Amino acid sequence: MTRYVALLRGIAPALPHNSNAELRAVHEGLGLRRVGSVLASGNIVFETDETDVPQLERRIQAALVDQLGIGGGTIIRSLEELRALLERDPFDGLTHGRGTYLVTTFLKDGELAPTEIPDDPDPKVRVVGFDAPARAFLAVIDNSVPGKTPDFMTWLDRTYGKSITTRTWLTVQRIVRKLESL
């Protein structure tokens, strides 16, 4: 039995059919076990015997589209992958805070790793790097002026489209704690 999180792109609790209860129901309807949610931003944890992650991503996404009309994208990571990322501590010595966000942008399973990462493409971004085992970009974003999307995020969207989703480092830590408690 493997513990996973489905990181759903574009989820906001104020949007129709984006509630945790509805998202959990879709996953439970697929036969996934011990389904739970972390925060209200599209982080659904579960257990399953399935090991074909790209197929699982497609199956969950198809169900989200069919049942709730949500087409934002589904990215899956296992507890082991996320725990290993936390243990590598890529933000060593940095602190997530109100004006400085430590962010992790996950690529869809099977998406090609970058051949080149822009060097701090925006004065509001410090690129920490790309973590190949977790298939994730790591960056520190100056969020002291809310509502201003840095160029790095634009580059990620332009390069990978809906094959990415971003979480704060605090959210990744919360997801791991929830997965460990299943």
Side-chain angles (χ1 to χ4, degrees):
M1 190 75 68
T2 304
R3 296 175 193 178
Y4 293 106
V5 62
L7 304 165
L8 309 178
R9 180 180 164 102
I11 299 299
L15 295 175
H17 306 298
N18 279 216
S19 74
N20 278 336
E22 290 170 296
L23 297 173
R24 285 191 308 267
V26 169
H27 287 74
E28 289 165 349
L30 293 171
L32 304 174
R33 294 182 287 281
R34 300 180 75 185
V35 176
S37 48
V38 179
L39 303 172
S41 55
N43 307 297
I44 305 298
V45 296
F46 59 91
E47 284 185 340
T48 183
D49 292 326
E50 296 179 51
T51 57
D52 185 341
V53 170
Q55 173 58 29
L56 189 56
E57 286 176 341
R58 288 189 296 274
R59 200 162 72 89
I60 290 170
Q61 188 58 52
L64 289 168
V65 170
D66 290 346
Q67 296 174 39
L68 302 178
I70 297 172
T74 300
I75 295 175
I76 293 178
R77 291 295 185 272
S78 71
L79 169 59
E80 289 74 25
E81 289 173 307
L82 293 179
R83 187 185 289 140
L85 176 62
L86 292 181
E87 289 171 1
R88 285 190 292 278
D89 196 15
F91 293 111
D92 183 34
L94 301 175
T95 304
H96 181 95
R98 175 170 250 159
T100 304
Y101 278 25
L102 307 180
V103 296
T104 307
T105 300
F106 295 96
L107 270 62
K108 197 167 201 49
D109 198 36
E111 192 70 41
L112 294 177
T115 56
E116 189 176 318
I117 300 172
D119 292 327
D120 300 339
D122 183 291
K124 298 178 99 22
V125 175
R126 179 164 71 93
V127 177
V128 173
F130 182 77
D131 186 277
R135 296 169 320 282
F137 287 98
L138 304 151
V140 180
I141 296 177
D142 175 352
N143 197 36
S144 57
V145 181
K148 192 122 168 55
T149 303
D151 283 345
F152 182 62
M153 302 303 280
T154 304
W155 176 82
L156 286 168
D157 278 345
R158 200 173 43 248
T159 304
Y160 293 100
K162 292 185 180 189
S163 296
I164 62 171
T165 193
T166 300
R167 299 296 186 271
T168 68
W169 192 240
L170 293 178
T171 299
V172 174
Q173 293 169 334
R174 286 181 182 126
I175 290 168
V176 169
R177 284 193 301 272
K178 180 77 170 198
L179 284 166
E180 289 174 337
S181 73
L182 287 183

